[in-house]
Amino acid sequence: MARIKLDFPDTAFTFETRLPVRITDVNGANHLGNDALISMLSEARAQFLVEHGIEEAGHDGIGIIVTDLATMYQGESFYPDMLRFEVGLMDFNKYGGDFVFRVTKADGGQPVALAKYGFVFFNYQSREVTPMPQAFRARFA
């Protein structure tokens, strides 16, 4: 099976937040579980959007939905590590683009993971994909 290889330029990351590895994030192998990391990526994405005054599900019935996820694990993390999540946007198209993430240990910078979420804008009233709002594109493109 081909392995996922992710590589993002440093300039892709425009936001940073820190999240602790909680005891409930640790799996049977005693390190950060992949399910917990995905939840943490979602939290970092939500904080990025809030920082920019954007609601994932806007009042106009148009919101952002995740279409795919790719994660490349680079190192272990343990309770109670503090992780640094760098977040950015790339590869816009008519309907969406990619959220990109770089996760490192906050105290030493050791790599933990690289990830990307594909996303599109979705009209929750008509239940269909809709073009990216011009205001969103103008803010980040």
Side-chain angles (χ1 to χ4, degrees), residues 38 50 56 69 108 110:
I38 292 168
V50 166
E56 284 196 64
L69 165 67
Q110 297 92 344

Side-chain angles (χ1 to χ4, degrees), residues 51-104:
E51 176 76 15
H52 291 286
I54 298 169
E55 297 179 27
E56 284 196 64
H59 296 296
D60 58 0
I62 296 175
I64 293 172
I65 61 171
V66 173
T67 57
D68 54 47
L69 165 67
T71 307
M72 186 176 82
Y73 298 98
Q74 299 175 301
E76 290 181 296
S77 183
F78 306 93
Y79 171 80
D81 288 344
M82 180 64 69
L83 299 180
R84 176 182 180 209
F85 288 76
E86 296 172 90
V87 184
L89 289 165
M90 294 179 60
D91 298 333
F92 286 162
N93 59 54
K94 180 178 179 179
Y95 301 103
D98 291 331
F99 282 97
V100 294
F101 305 88
R102 180 167 51 198
V103 184
T104 55

